[in-house]
Amino acid sequence: MKEKVLNGKKNGMTVMLLFIALYIVAIGAVIWGGMSMDSGNQGRGAFLLIIGIVWLTLGWIPFLGLKVLKPQEALVLTLFGNYVGTLKESGFYWVNPFCTSVNPAAKTKLNQSGDVDSGVKAKALAISLGSGSGEVEMSSKKISMKVMTLNNNRQKINDCLGNPVEIGIAVTWRVVDTAKAVFNVDNFKEFLSLQCDGALRNIVRLYPYDVAPNVDTTGDGMADEGSLRGSSEIVASRIRDEIQKKVEEAGLEIIEARITYLAYAPEIAAVMLQRQQASAIIDARKMIVDGAVGMVEMALERLNENQIVELDEERKAAMVSNLLVVLCGNHDAQPVVNSGSLY
């Protein structure tokens, strides 16, 4: 289905004034016809009277073709089941009054900007119809061409190592082809939401939550340092491209995809926190030991260079042991003063 934009139909004001003038003429014709019949001119009076009554009875039908569009709105029109075209520019239009507007997603409310039910509803005919809520929701058949953001629900997905991860994304999108959006899919909003879920699962399962050895996230056969936590920009870009491929047939454009929430699932969050703490402690200890060994080496070299004291191998080992205990200990060392000989 190819979109066909209707141009040159911004004549709504002219047509409206014309029909109002015809209504006034019809009222005058009814009055003049009645007066003519009273005066004895039956033929002419009956003709004017019939013409006036017919127009007063059916003259409201052309008013159904008046359409008003605001900026960034579109209206898809069909006539007896056939696609006529799309009105996309803002203005006051008049179209065939038998044309109907189509928007299968008019009543669909997603958790997104510009499409959230704000609680403001049309209150009409509710009391007379006996509805309990006292409110009737009016849905518009116009399609919004604005940029909107879909806040997708958090999902629990296993990463490439099998760890359950909770992740949520925000997708910025808009409608670019109204014909495809209306006729190629049943409901383009629900279609977008489902495709976001599928694309998110396809991409997240390729990455570990954190950097892991021997993991290929790019498909080139080489292990890399890609991860959900450390490569969020790359992951979001791949999610955006994946969604765009899936919604191309629905006439939608995915502008951006962003990760809004990322965490381990609650059932393993505590264990993974302990693992991260242990890893941090090991890294810190390794750094402390490397620094302590370097300081011991520097101390022995300085003592030998300046010939401050001569130490045999046994005393050097004792000195190294004492320095390492002092430098690598968690608590401050308690000094012991030796007032006697070193030997």
Side-chain angles (χ1 to χ4, degrees), residues 153 188 214 240-241 282 294:
N153 295 328
F188 63 89
N214 302 322
R240 183 258 172 206
D241 295 339
I282 292 173

Side-chain angles (χ1 to χ4, degrees), residues 172-228:
T172 305
W173 67 283
R174 65 182 175 185
V175 178
V176 293
D177 193 312
T178 57
K180 289 182 178 180
V182 171
F183 300 112
N184 283 7
V185 294
D186 183 57
N187 188 319
F188 63 89
K189 292 181 181 178
E190 293 181 354
F191 180 78
L192 171 64
S193 181
L194 293 175
Q195 296 306 321
C196 287
D197 294 344
L200 185 62
R201 290 184 177 275
N202 291 339
I203 299 300
V204 169
R205 64 181 178 83
L206 301 178
Y207 289 84
Y209 179 86
D210 211 339
V211 177
N214 302 322
V215 175
D216 176 24
T217 62
T218 58
D220 58 358
M222 301 292 293
D224 51 66
E225 296 184 351
S227 65
L228 296 175

Side-chain angles (χ1 to χ4, degrees), residues 5-7 10 69-71 73-74 87-91 93:
V5 180
L6 299 177
N7 297 317
K10 294 184 181 181
L69 286 183
K70 294 182 290 187
E73 285 185 344
L87 302 176
K88 299 187 75 171
E89 295 183 3
S90 59
Y93 295 85

Side-chain angles (χ1 to χ4, degrees), residues 33-92:
M35 295 174 61
S36 298
M37 292 183 68
D38 290 340
S39 62
N41 193 349
Q42 299 292 331
R44 181 179 179 183
F47 176 76
L48 293 175
L49 191 61
I50 292 173
I51 293 298
I53 293 175
V54 169
W55 179 253
L56 292 176
T57 305
L58 303 177
W60 56 272
I61 295 179
F63 284 95
L64 299 177
L66 297 174
K67 308 291 182 182
V68 178
L69 286 183
K70 294 182 290 187
Q72 297 298 320
E73 285 185 344
L75 202 62
V76 178
L77 300 176
T78 60
L79 180 61
F80 304 128
N82 296 320
Y83 174 56
V84 176
T86 302
L87 302 176
K88 299 187 75 171
E89 295 183 3
S90 59
F92 192 16

Side-chain angles (χ1 to χ4, degrees), residues 305-320:
E305 289 177 1
N306 298 334
Q307 297 181 352
I308 297 175
V309 62
E310 293 184 1
L311 301 174
D312 57 15
E313 296 300 325
E314 182 180 355
R315 299 302 177 183
K316 284 183 180 180
M319 181 178 178
V320 169

Side-chain angles (χ1 to χ4, degrees), residues 90-140:
S90 59
F92 192 16
Y93 295 85
W94 185 83
V95 297
N96 191 323
F98 296 101
C99 286
T100 57
S101 55
V102 182
N103 183 7
K107 295 183 179 180
T108 303
K109 299 297 181 182
L110 300 178
N111 186 21
Q112 61 185 18
S113 63
D115 198 29
V116 177
D117 187 3
S118 60
V120 179
K121 298 179 179 180
K123 298 180 180 180
L125 303 178
I127 298 177
S128 60
L129 295 176
S131 61
S133 61
E135 295 180 349
V136 176
E137 183 176 358
M138 305 297 291
S139 59
S140 175

Side-chain angles (χ1 to χ4, degrees), residues 261-272:
Y261 181 85
L262 178 63
Y264 280 115
E267 57 265 26
I268 67 165
V271 177
M272 289 301 176

Side-chain angles (χ1 to χ4, degrees), residues 150-167:
L150 169 63
N151 296 318
N152 213 38
N153 295 328
R154 297 178 186 175
Q155 296 187 63
K156 184 184 293 185
I157 307 172
N158 291 337
D159 65 1
C160 68
L161 301 179
N163 299 321
V165 176
E166 287 189 348
I167 185 171

